[in-house]
Amino acid sequence: MKVLKFGGTSVGSAQRMKNVAKLITGECNIIVLSAMSGTTNSLVEISDYLYKKNPDGANEIINKLTKLYLGHIDELYSTDEYKKKACEYVKLHFDTIRAFTKDLFTMFEEKVILAQGELISTGMMTLYLQECGYKSVLLPALEYMRTDKNAEPDPFYIKDKLLKLLNENKEADLYITQGYICRNAYGEIDNLQRGGSDYSASLIGAAIDAEEIQIWTDIDGMHNNDPRVVANTQPVRYLHFEEAAELAYFGAKILHPTCIQPAKVNNIPVRLLNTMQPEAPGTIVSNELEKGKIKAVAAKDNITAIKIKSGRMLLATGFLRKVFEIFEEYQTPIDMITTSEVGVSVTIDNRKHLDEIVNDLKKFGTVTVDEDMVIVCVVGDLEWDNVGFEARIIQAMKEVPVRMISYGGSNYNVSLLIKAFDKTKALQALSDHLFNHH
Ligand code: ASP
Ligand code: MG
């Protein structure tokens, strides 16, 4: 059995839902759906109005959204019977949302509202498949997807409940389920964070020991550079999980970083596919490593670099600990680090506590801040005893001012920190030197 996940744009209209239906009806697999595109954002907006005690603002969006969905229903189903069923189903969910506009609004109500997008899209798809004559069974994620007291998924609970549900519904042609939503350790409705449907798919794949996890989006796999910035990027056919993790974290938007771990640990290949071009091979992410190859370049924007220079660091012990403790105190993760004997530079992407951090760091040395920076990350099998790849990367950057260089944290990436201003030039130069030089 496989797990196929379709994101918001892939189910973003009635026509797209019909296209997805064609792709999923051949085999008995588990299909994970996101909310239709834009819906979760609207639900966030509704919640925002309710937090601000403005039920009229919330109702306006709810009414708009209801109208939009009634239009989708009209287009999706061909019989009055199913149009009616779908209307009733969708209205029920909008009534749930509306009920919260009258009462005290807290985080608990918000999570219930955020869950409605996936509940609606999966309900609509299940009904559509039934109208087309398939025995499609809806597996309610709220009955098996669960997080523990640390807000981490509970793989034993998930496996146990999901296998039971599958067992009770053996006669199905295929299974539909919600991405993103879950219950927490207290049984309350919760979610796996924005973009969490990929994570759902990976957790489900691990639970059923799937043959493969497919993540369907609207581009043809992971590209070897950012197609929005660089001309002539190509899809990457094979990636190791570690390479995919670096790329996902450093800006390649296609796969959510959390999705990698469960698939990797259970050795289940993840295939990235394109709904607009279903026959294209896409990208396969697995535990196979292609030796000695540089695979791709990704960039992470809005980075701030902080340098702490201190004579006291020379031969001192505990200096780095003191520096890192300040970042920890302000819950600000560090992305990149470089050190010299008299100083250390780090980068952060969360600037919320920048002023306090800088202020506290001044106790330990002279502090310099560089804003509007970009981390460029080159990913591949960069095993340290391979020779030449560092030279090629540096050669590509010969016209670009580089603020930090980091290699050796893993065998899979070299990271460079540059000015945002130089991003296009740097990415293009890396593509030209690393991929297009033949
Ligand atoms: N619908 C959720 C979101 O927009 C989850 C997902 O699409 O992965 O964040
Ligand atoms: Mg998504």
Side-chain angles (χ1 to χ4, degrees):
M1 208 180 231
K2 294 177 192 154
V3 178
L4 282 63
K5 179 256 166 176
F6 293 85
T9 24
S10 303
V11 292
S13 67
Q15 187 53 50
R16 293 217 170 164
M17 283 204 175
K18 289 182 193 180
N19 295 349
V20 168
K22 280 195 203 113
L23 293 171
I24 61 180
T25 41
E27 294 168 47
C28 182
N29 291 320
I30 299 184
I31 316 301
V32 180
L33 302 183
S34 288
M36 294 178 83
S37 55
T39 301
T40 311
N41 286 343
S42 298
L43 298 174
V44 169
E45 225 184 317
I46 292 169
S47 306
D48 205 34
Y49 276 117
L50 293 178
Y51 274 125
K52 297 193 168 112
K53 300 195 170 41
N54 178 353
D56 292 343
N59 271 316
E60 211 169 291
I61 305 174
I62 298 170
N63 291 342
K64 252 195 232 156
L65 214 50
T66 312
K67 230 192 220 151
L68 186 73
Y69 271 88
L70 293 181
H72 292 319
I73 288 171
D74 205 42
E75 212 185 316
L76 183 59
Y77 304 93
S78 46
T79 61
D80 285 343
E81 183 197 347
Y82 275 88
K83 280 184 203 213
K84 189 162 166 259
K85 273 189 193 171
C87 272
E88 277 165 12
Y89 180 83
V90 166
K91 278 195 176 137
L92 202 73
H93 288 277
F94 282 114
D95 286 346
T96 306
I97 300 175
R98 239 182 229 107
F100 292 133
T101 60
K102 291 166 192 133
D103 261 326
L104 182 72
F105 195 74
T106 71
M107 231 170 67
F108 304 105
E109 286 78 23
E110 180 186 15
K111 300 245 171 86
V112 179
I113 289 189
L114 293 183
Q116 302 307 312
E118 271 73 8
L119 291 171
I120 292 175
S121 65
T122 50
M124 282 170 63
M125 181 63 89
T126 308
L127 285 173
Y128 176 66
L129 292 167
Q130 286 168 1
E131 185 183 43
C132 297
Y134 297 99
K135 268 191 239 128
S136 67
V137 169
L138 186 59
L139 302 172
L142 298 179
E143 284 180 25
Y144 67 84
M145 193 54 78
R146 200 180 258 255
T147 53
D148 62 17
K149 290 208 164 87
N150 304 315
E152 294 291 337
D154 179 345
F156 302 104
Y157 184 98
I158 297 167
K159 182 172 182 159
D160 183 53
K161 296 284 173 190
L162 183 56
L163 293 184
K164 265 191 202 127
L165 275 173
L166 288 170
N167 220 0
E168 286 160 16
N169 291 286
K170 276 197 178 127
E171 71 302 342
D173 288 335
L174 77 168
Y175 302 95
I176 306 287
T177 192
Q178 300 87 11
Y180 174 60
I181 65 174
C182 64
R183 284 187 192 274
N184 59 26
Y186 313 99
E188 297 148 358
I189 294 182
D190 209 325
N191 60 63
L192 301 173
Q193 312 284 338
R194 292 304 305 272
S197 295
D198 289 1
Y199 200 12
S200 304
S202 185
L203 292 165
I204 293 166
I208 64 162
D209 195 19
E211 182 188 326
E212 181 172 288
I213 297 160
Q214 298 181 350
I215 307 287
W216 288 80
T217 59
D218 49 6
I219 65 166
D220 48 350
M222 187 101 80
H223 276 233
N224 62 4
N225 208 328
D226 188 338
R228 293 164 302 184
V229 179
V230 171
N232 299 324
T233 61
Q234 292 99 33
V236 180
R237 277 304 305 277
Y238 301 99
L239 277 177
H240 189 271
F241 279 118
E242 298 286 351
E243 295 172 331
E246 301 279 3
L247 286 170
Y249 182 69
F250 284 106
K253 285 274 147 33
I254 179 158
L255 188 64
H256 199 275
T258 51
C259 152
I260 290 161
Q261 205 56 19
K264 176 181 149 72
V265 170
N266 294 280
N267 199 20
I268 301 168
V270 176
R271 196 185 289 265
L272 310 176
L273 292 158
N274 182 1
T275 42
M276 307 293 164
Q277 217 184 320
E279 61 298 331
T283 302
I284 300 167
V285 188
S286 72
N287 280 318
E288 305 285 319
L289 183 66
E290 278 187 291
K291 281 281 170 204
K293 265 185 97 170
I294 296 182
K295 293 295 182 60
V297 175
K300 194 169 181 206
D301 299 325
N302 299 318
I303 302 293
T304 302
I306 305 168
K307 180 163 73 186
I308 308 101
K309 215 178 74 191
S310 165
R312 276 185 282 164
M313 185 176 170
L314 195 68
L315 306 175
T317 56
F319 178 79
L320 286 177
R321 178 177 53 76
K322 287 182 207 144
V323 166
F324 291 152
E325 266 171 5
I326 290 172
F327 289 88
E328 190 182 344
E329 190 184 330
Y330 293 104
Q331 302 259 307
T332 303
I334 293 171
D335 281 332
M336 220 178 137
I337 312 170
T338 54
T339 62
S340 87
E341 199 50 60
V342 291
V344 53
S345 279
V346 303
T347 70
I348 57 171
D349 70 349
N350 177 354
R351 301 165 33 91
K352 198 166 152 204
H353 298 291
L354 181 61
D355 292 343
E356 294 109 300
I357 290 171
V358 168
N359 208 28
D360 286 7
L361 285 171
K362 283 182 179 163
K363 281 185 249 160
F364 303 118
T366 312
V367 183
T368 324
V369 175
D370 291 299
E371 301 187 63
D372 286 325
M373 307 295 283
V374 170
I375 296 175
V376 173
C377 176
V378 180
V379 169
D381 171 32
L382 310 178
E383 186 78 51
W384 70 271
D385 48 8
N386 293 349
V387 292
F389 63 85
E390 301 95 333
R392 283 167 69 201
I393 294 166
I394 301 294
Q395 180 64 17
M397 302 296 277
K398 67 175 189 292
E399 310 275 330
V400 178
V402 176
R403 166 73 179 76
M404 288 164 70
I405 303 177
S406 170
Y407 169 71
S410 83
N411 283 332
Y412 303 98
N413 90 85
V414 174
S415 300
L416 304 142
L417 187 73
I418 58 167
K419 279 186 265 176
F421 175 80
D422 293 319
K423 175 178 165 181
T424 307
K425 188 175 171 188
L427 292 189
Q428 188 67 58
L430 284 165
S431 257
D432 292 345
H433 273 74
L434 303 176
F435 311 126
N436 308 334
H437 51 295
H438 306 294

